């Protein structure tokens, strides 16, 4: 939800728990993505402890940065503004059909230098979000990598899944709420607030991108 304290140390990024067990959710998401053979690159997360300025020790997750000199991460919001002079939310809010929204964004992204199969990429992420109940995939958290050296784009790895698994125990999903009720409270983003309708629309357009096995062994 954009409020986790974050620190970069050399080429490592640390994200600290703030609302619950975000770090554990991030690490667990990475391990699940590996087990189900997520079809795009996956960012590796591990658990860590961080001692902050007040000498308190906080659980965090750590990953390597995927940007470098001349390669920056840029959100779908910024891409639509810079490349198409559009507000992405204004554009899709005019459409009542979820399929039309997903198709519009996908076809726009396919116009970018270096990008094809954007629909499959978006579908895979939407399916994964539904699997882990990630409620925080707004268009600031849908991103691409921009290479200013050749004015091209590429896909970012699967990352930023700390809002999954009902990890917000502080505000939305305190432990005294029965898990079935908490699950019903979760709303998806960014095309509609229903995970099932969002995934159905995307897979009807671009096919299923992940097929979880009957058994997942997580270590």
């Amino acid at each position: 939800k954009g409020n986790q304290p974050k620190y970069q140390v050399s080429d490592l990024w640390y994200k600290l728990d703030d609302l619950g067990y975000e770090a554990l959710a991030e690490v667990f998401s990475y391990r699940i993505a590996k087990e189900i053979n997520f079809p795009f690159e996956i960012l590796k997360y591990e658990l860590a402890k961080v001692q902050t300025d007040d000498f308190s020790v906080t659980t965090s997750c750590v990953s390597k940065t995927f940007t470098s000199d001349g390669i920056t991460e840029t959100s779908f919001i910024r891409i639509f503004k810079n490349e198409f002079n559009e507000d992405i939310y204004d554009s899709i809010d005019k459409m009542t059909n979820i399929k039309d929204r997903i198709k519009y964004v996908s076809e726009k992204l396919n116009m970018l230098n270096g990008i094809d199969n954007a629909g499959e990429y978006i579908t895979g992420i939407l399916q994964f979000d539904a699997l882990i109940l990630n409620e925080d995939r707004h268009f600031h958290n849908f991103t691409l990598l921009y290479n200013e050296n050749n004015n091209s784009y590429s896909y970012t790895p699967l990352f930023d899944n700390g809002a999954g698994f009902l990890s917000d125990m502080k505000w939305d999903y305190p432990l005294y709420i029965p898990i079935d009720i908490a699950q019903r409270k979760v709303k998806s983003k960014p095309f509609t607030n229903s995970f099932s309708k969002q995934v159905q629309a995307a897979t009807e357009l671009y096919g299923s991108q992940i097929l979880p096995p009957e058994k997942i062994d997580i270590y």
Side-chain angles (χ1 to χ4, degrees), residues 139-153:
F139 284 125
H140 281 293
N141 286 344
F142 254 121
T143 64
L144 297 177
L145 293 176
Y146 175 66
N147 188 333
E148 64 183 31
N149 300 309
N150 58 12
N151 192 33
S152 69
Y153 289 87

Side-chain angles (χ1 to χ4, degrees), residues 18 32 39 86 118 131 141 144 175 177 188:
D18 183 60
I32 286 179
E86 289 184 36
L131 180 66
N141 286 344
L144 297 177
L175 292 180
I177 296 180
S188 67

Side-chain angles (χ1 to χ4, degrees), residues 172-189:
D172 291 333
Y173 315 110
L175 292 180
Y176 61 79
I177 296 180
I179 191 168
D180 58 329
I181 295 176
Q183 286 176 305
R184 292 198 295 270
K185 286 183 60 179
V186 186
K187 304 299 182 183
S188 67
K189 294 182 180 72

Side-chain angles (χ1 to χ4, degrees), residues 126-166:
L126 296 181
Q127 286 186 277
F128 190 73
D129 286 344
L131 180 66
I132 67 169
L133 294 182
N134 180 11
E135 63 178 3
D136 200 34
R137 192 72 67 187
H138 47 73
F139 284 125
H140 281 293
N141 286 344
F142 254 121
T143 64
L144 297 177
L145 293 176
Y146 175 66
N147 188 333
E148 64 183 31
N149 300 309
N150 58 12
N151 192 33
S152 69
Y153 289 87
S154 59
Y155 294 123
T156 52
L158 179 68
F159 78 110
D160 203 8
N161 299 298
F165 299 107
L166 309 174

Side-chain angles (χ1 to χ4, degrees), residues 76-93:
F76 281 18
I77 287 179
R78 185 172 297 175
I79 291 170
F80 267 67
K81 181 178 180 181
N82 293 342
E83 298 286 353
F84 308 118
N85 195 30
E86 289 184 36
D87 182 302
I88 189 171
Y89 283 110
D90 285 348
S91 295
I92 70 168
D93 282 349

Side-chain angles (χ1 to χ4, degrees), residues 21-193:
Y21 46 88
E22 298 102 315
L24 185 60
E26 199 80 77
V27 173
F28 198 55
S29 296
Y30 157 70
R31 294 181 180 181
I32 286 179
K34 283 203 313 177
E35 288 296 316
I36 65 174
N37 297 315
F38 187 78
F40 296 91
E41 185 181 356
I42 309 163
L43 185 64
K44 181 178 181 179
Y45 284 95
E46 296 178 327
L47 289 174
K49 297 287 187 180
V50 171
Q51 180 174 291
T52 52
D53 292 340
D54 62 358
F55 300 104
S56 62
V57 177
T58 304
T59 301
S60 73
C61 57
V62 58
S63 62
K64 286 198 172 184
T65 181
F66 47 76
T67 59
S68 58
D69 290 342
I71 299 179
T72 56
E73 179 194 359
T74 183
S75 70
F76 281 18
I77 287 179
R78 185 172 297 175
I79 291 170
F80 267 67
K81 181 178 180 181
N82 293 342
E83 298 286 353
F84 308 118
N85 195 30
E86 289 184 36
D87 182 302
I88 189 171
Y89 283 110
D90 285 348
S91 295
I92 70 168
D93 282 349
K94 298 173 184 176
M95 307 171 190
T96 57
N97 187 283
I98 304 171
K99 275 188 181 181
D100 291 341
R101 295 178 174 185
I102 297 172
K103 185 177 180 181
Y104 181 81
V105 172
S106 300
E107 291 182 348
K108 279 285 190 177
L109 294 177
N110 282 335
M111 296 169 62
L112 300 173
N113 182 24
I115 294 297
D116 55 15
N117 300 321
E120 287 81 355
Y121 177 73
I122 290 172
T123 298
I125 293 177
L126 296 181
Q127 286 186 277
F128 190 73
D129 286 344
L131 180 66
I132 67 169
L133 294 182
N134 180 11
E135 63 178 3
D136 200 34
R137 192 72 67 187
H138 47 73
F139 284 125
H140 281 293
N141 286 344
F142 254 121
T143 64
L144 297 177
L145 293 176
Y146 175 66
N147 188 333
E148 64 183 31
N149 300 309
N150 58 12
N151 192 33
S152 69
Y153 289 87
S154 59
Y155 294 123
T156 52
L158 179 68
F159 78 110
D160 203 8
N161 299 298
F165 299 107
L166 309 174
S167 66
D168 178 0
M169 298 188 299
K170 184 177 180 180
W171 290 345
D172 291 333
Y173 315 110
L175 292 180
Y176 61 79
I177 296 180
I179 191 168
D180 58 329
I181 295 176
Q183 286 176 305
R184 292 198 295 270
K185 286 183 60 179
V186 186
K187 304 299 182 183
S188 67
K189 294 182 180 72
F191 298 100
T192 185
N193 63 10

